[in-house]
């Protein structure tokens, strides 16, 4: 399914430029309107991705409750496999066969909204805005477009694990992990020096969300071009270059993927790494000496806000049952139903006040409980730093250029200038 932060974004990221939707025209030619006035009735086609196998009973109950609340309605639940979900959306959109309510992430909804196929819920359902966390409601705002194009549904975030023993061995306070990037850089250099280069702080170079957490302006106000080569962006890459040269960044950081970084953390050759409940359970079984010393902390940031991974429900602007579609999308994402879903799987409601429930604030002695409480605390004020238009190709371009800066093949400024130029080129061709 989706439920770790990595899994939640892996499917969404597959969209890239596949959903160009040339057959559907511009944002002015998609047909339909953003009005949801009228009687709630008719058959709503509802599409999710990869949820039926594990959550069939939950969704069947949810649908039955909706149909009972609104006599004269019926919900036809369509669950697509995770593989090629983006391509399926593209094909359905081009053929005019998009369901009435569709499970999306921001990068999935962007080309649909651009093609005029996603309802602007700020106009059609803005009265519900106050029911959701501000950062969650805004998560489906799209660059260069006014409005919100999906109801926020379930959320996740990525807490950091850190090795308390490695911190103590380096003379760092194991109860005070770094909270800002400045603290992270200083601690990383200290750890590398104390360990004579044997222990690195991190195993990955900065990704686009790191630029966001650092306080870099990623795009201009119009969403027309990328700007992460500004002074703060150059500063971030420069500091990572210092870590790399001091061996405070793992020697394989330029090629590491999430799985490789996880192995490094398990082998106790790096001191910090993102993780989740399943990772904790694995460490408990396979690396008990590490498990005894794991601390959990929010990912470092300079903004006071962690990164939010978000799923949403888009309403098809061309739907023939708009009132029912909007009512159903709101029903699925209301506080009660989101809380019920969070009891089924480790995700977090996007509704205001839900995260204050003891279910999210009190540990229960389990590994899942430890991670859940830490993540729930961070997600209250989290924001989605990754621009909806930042495709997989753009992520690769940024990673390649940052790697060149780490190797000294380019200056941090030149590397980011080149990354921005390529990302802006890709943006124009999308």
């Amino acid at each position: 399914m989706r439920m770790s932060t990595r899994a939640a974004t892996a499917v969404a990221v597959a969209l890239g430029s596949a959903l160009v939707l040339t057959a559907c025209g511009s944002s002015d030619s998609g047909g339909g309107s953003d009005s949801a006035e009228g009687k709630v009735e008719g058959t709503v086609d509802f599409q999710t991705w990869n949820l039926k196998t594990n959550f069939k009973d939950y969704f069947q109950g949810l649908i039955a409750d909706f149909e009972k609340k609104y006599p004269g309605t019926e919900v036809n639940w369509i669950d697509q496999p995770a593989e090629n979900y983006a391509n399926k959306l593209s094909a359905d959109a081009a053929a005019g066969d998009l369901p009435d309510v569709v499970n999306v992430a921001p990068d999935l909804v962007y080309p649909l909204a651009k093609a005029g196929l996603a309802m602007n819920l700020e106009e059609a359902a803005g009265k519900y805005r106050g029911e959701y966390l501000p950062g969650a409601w805004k998560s489906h705002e799209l660059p260069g477009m006014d409005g919100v194009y999906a109801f926020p549904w379930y959320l996740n975030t990525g807490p950091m694990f850190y090795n308390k023993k490695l911190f103590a061995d380096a003379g760092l306070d194991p109860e005070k992990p770094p909270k800002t990037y400045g603290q992270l850089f200083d601690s990383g250099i200290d750890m590398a020096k104390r360990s004579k280069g044997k222990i690195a702080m991190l195993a990955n170079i900065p990704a686009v969300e790191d630029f966001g957490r650092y306080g870099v302006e990623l795009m201009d106000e119009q969403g027309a071009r990328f700007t992460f080569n500004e002074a703060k962006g150059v500063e971030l890459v420069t500091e990572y270059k210092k870590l790399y040269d001091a061996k405070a960044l793992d020697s394989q950081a330029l090629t590491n993927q999430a799985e490789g970084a996880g192995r490094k953390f398990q082998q106790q050759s790096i001191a910090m790494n993102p993780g989740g409940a399943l990772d904790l359970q694995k460490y408990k079984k396979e690396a008990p000496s590490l498990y005894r010393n794991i601390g959990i902390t929010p990912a470092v940031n300079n903004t006071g806000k962690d990164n939010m991974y978000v799923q949403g429900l888009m309403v098809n602007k061309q739907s023939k049952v708009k009132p029912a579609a909007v009512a159903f999308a709101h029903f699925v994402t209301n506080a009660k139903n989101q809380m019920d879903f969070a009891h089924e799987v480790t995700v977090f409601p996007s509704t205001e006040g839900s995260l204050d429930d003891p279910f999210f604030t009190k540990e229960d002695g389990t590994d899942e409980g430890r991670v859940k409480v830490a993540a729930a605390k961070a997600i209250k004020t989290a924001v989605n730093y990754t621009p909806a238009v930042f495709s997989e190709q753009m992520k690769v371009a940024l990673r390649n250029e940052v790697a060149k800066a780490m190797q000294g093949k380019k200056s941090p400024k030149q590397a980011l200038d080149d990354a921005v130029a390529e990302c802006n080129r890709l943006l124009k061709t999308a």
Side-chain angles (χ1 to χ4, degrees):
M1 190 182 153
R2 47 359 38 217
M3 297 310 162
S4 73
T5 56
R6 289 191 293 270
T9 54
V11 176
V13 124
L15 183 63
S17 60
L19 244 173
V20 178
L21 302 179
T22 53
C24 298
S26 71
S27 60
D28 293 324
S29 62
S33 73
D34 290 319
S35 173
E37 298 293 327
K39 186 176 181 181
V40 176
E41 61 182 1
T43 299
V44 176
D45 289 334
F46 167 49
Q47 179 169 289
T48 56
W49 82 59
N50 202 25
L51 294 175
K52 184 168 284 188
T53 300
N54 295 317
F55 306 103
K56 182 177 180 180
D57 290 345
Y58 168 79
F59 282 99
Q60 286 181 337
L62 184 74
I63 289 167
D65 289 344
F66 176 78
E67 291 173 348
K68 181 179 179 180
K69 181 176 181 180
Y70 294 101
T73 63
E74 182 178 346
V75 176
N76 176 35
W77 179 25
I78 307 159
D79 189 61
Q80 299 290 352
E83 186 177 2
N84 295 322
Y85 184 72
N87 292 335
K88 175 64 175 170
L89 278 182
S90 178
D92 286 349
D97 291 332
L98 269 182
D100 302 292
V101 177
V102 184
N103 183 185
V104 293
D107 59 333
L108 289 170
V109 79
Y110 174 72
L112 297 171
K114 190 176 179 182
L117 298 176
M119 182 178 287
N120 181 351
L121 296 175
E122 190 69 66
E123 295 182 3
K127 63 184 179 181
Y128 300 127
R129 183 191 310 110
E131 297 180 17
Y132 302 90
L133 293 168
W137 182 260
K138 290 177 177 292
S139 64
H140 286 89
E141 290 181 345
L142 302 174
M145 301 181 70
D146 293 328
V148 169
Y149 292 88
F151 280 103
W153 194 7
Y154 57 87
L155 311 176
N156 223 320
T157 191
M160 292 288 287
F161 290 165
Y162 69 100
N163 189 319
K164 291 184 177 183
K165 184 178 185 300
L166 294 183
F167 269 67
D169 290 347
L172 302 171
D173 189 338
E175 302 305 321
K176 294 182 179 179
K179 296 183 181 301
T180 67
Y181 278 91
Q183 293 170 358
L184 174 69
F185 298 144
D186 290 343
S187 297
I189 297 294
D190 287 345
M191 184 166 290
K193 287 181 178 178
R194 294 289 184 95
S195 68
K196 297 182 179 179
K198 294 181 179 180
I199 305 297
M201 182 64 80
L202 301 170
N204 285 306
I205 57 179
V208 66
E209 57 263 34
D210 292 293
F211 284 79
R213 284 190 290 239
Y214 195 73
V216 178
E217 291 294 331
L218 301 176
M219 300 191 78
D220 63 13
E221 290 184 3
Q222 293 73 37
R225 64 185 182 89
F226 292 101
T227 59
F228 53 83
N229 58 337
E230 58 144 312
K232 276 185 178 287
V234 175
E235 181 180 276
L236 176 64
V237 175
T238 300
E239 293 299 326
Y240 264 86
K241 168 66 171 166
K242 293 177 184 177
L243 290 182
Y244 187 74
D245 290 344
K247 297 185 177 181
L249 194 61
D250 185 77
S251 60
Q252 297 179 6
L254 307 190
T255 57
N256 254 336
Q257 300 299 318
E259 293 79 7
R263 286 194 297 272
K264 294 280 186 177
F265 186 73
Q266 182 169 337
Q267 295 163 358
Q268 303 191 65
S269 61
I270 62 170
M272 297 190 78
N273 197 58
L278 292 179
D279 298 303
L280 268 186
Q281 293 167 14
K282 179 182 179 182
Y283 299 150
K284 185 176 184 179
K285 180 180 179 180
E286 299 179 5
S289 63
L290 166 65
Y291 178 81
R292 289 192 295 270
N293 290 290
I294 287 179
I296 304 175
T297 186
V300 296
N301 65 77
N302 289 353
T303 64
K305 299 179 186 295
D306 206 346
N307 190 51
M308 176 189 292
Y309 302 93
V310 58
Q311 294 291 306
L313 292 182
M314 183 201 92
V315 176
N316 184 352
K317 189 174 181 178
Q318 295 181 332
S319 170
K320 294 180 172 59
V321 289
K322 289 189 185 71
V326 169
F328 181 71
H330 174 248
F331 184 79
V332 174
T333 62
N334 71 26
K336 177 189 179 300
N337 290 323
Q338 288 210 51
M339 179 63 79
D340 288 347
F341 194 40
H343 278 77
E344 296 281 335
V345 64
T346 306
V347 294
F348 302 93
S350 60
T351 41
E352 187 71 58
S354 296
L355 296 174
D356 295 326
D357 189 281
F359 182 70
F360 297 110
T361 60
K362 294 184 179 180
E363 292 187 17
D364 57 8
T366 66
D367 292 333
E368 186 176 89
R370 291 177 65 191
V371 175
K372 179 178 66 179
V373 170
K377 183 178 180 180
I379 211 166
K380 281 186 178 182
T381 57
V383 297
N384 180 19
Y385 288 111
T386 303
V389 295
F390 205 74
S391 69
E392 185 65 17
Q393 288 175 287
M394 295 173 186
K395 292 178 183 181
V396 171
L398 175 58
R399 181 178 182 84
N400 288 345
E401 291 300 332
V402 170
K404 291 174 184 176
M406 297 298 103
Q407 296 169 315
K409 295 179 178 180
K410 293 183 180 181
S411 69
K413 180 67 167 65
Q414 186 62 55
L416 287 186
D417 285 348
D418 291 346
V420 163
E422 176 61 10
C423 290
N424 283 335
R425 184 191 70 79
L426 291 168
L427 184 62
K428 290 179 180 178
T429 61

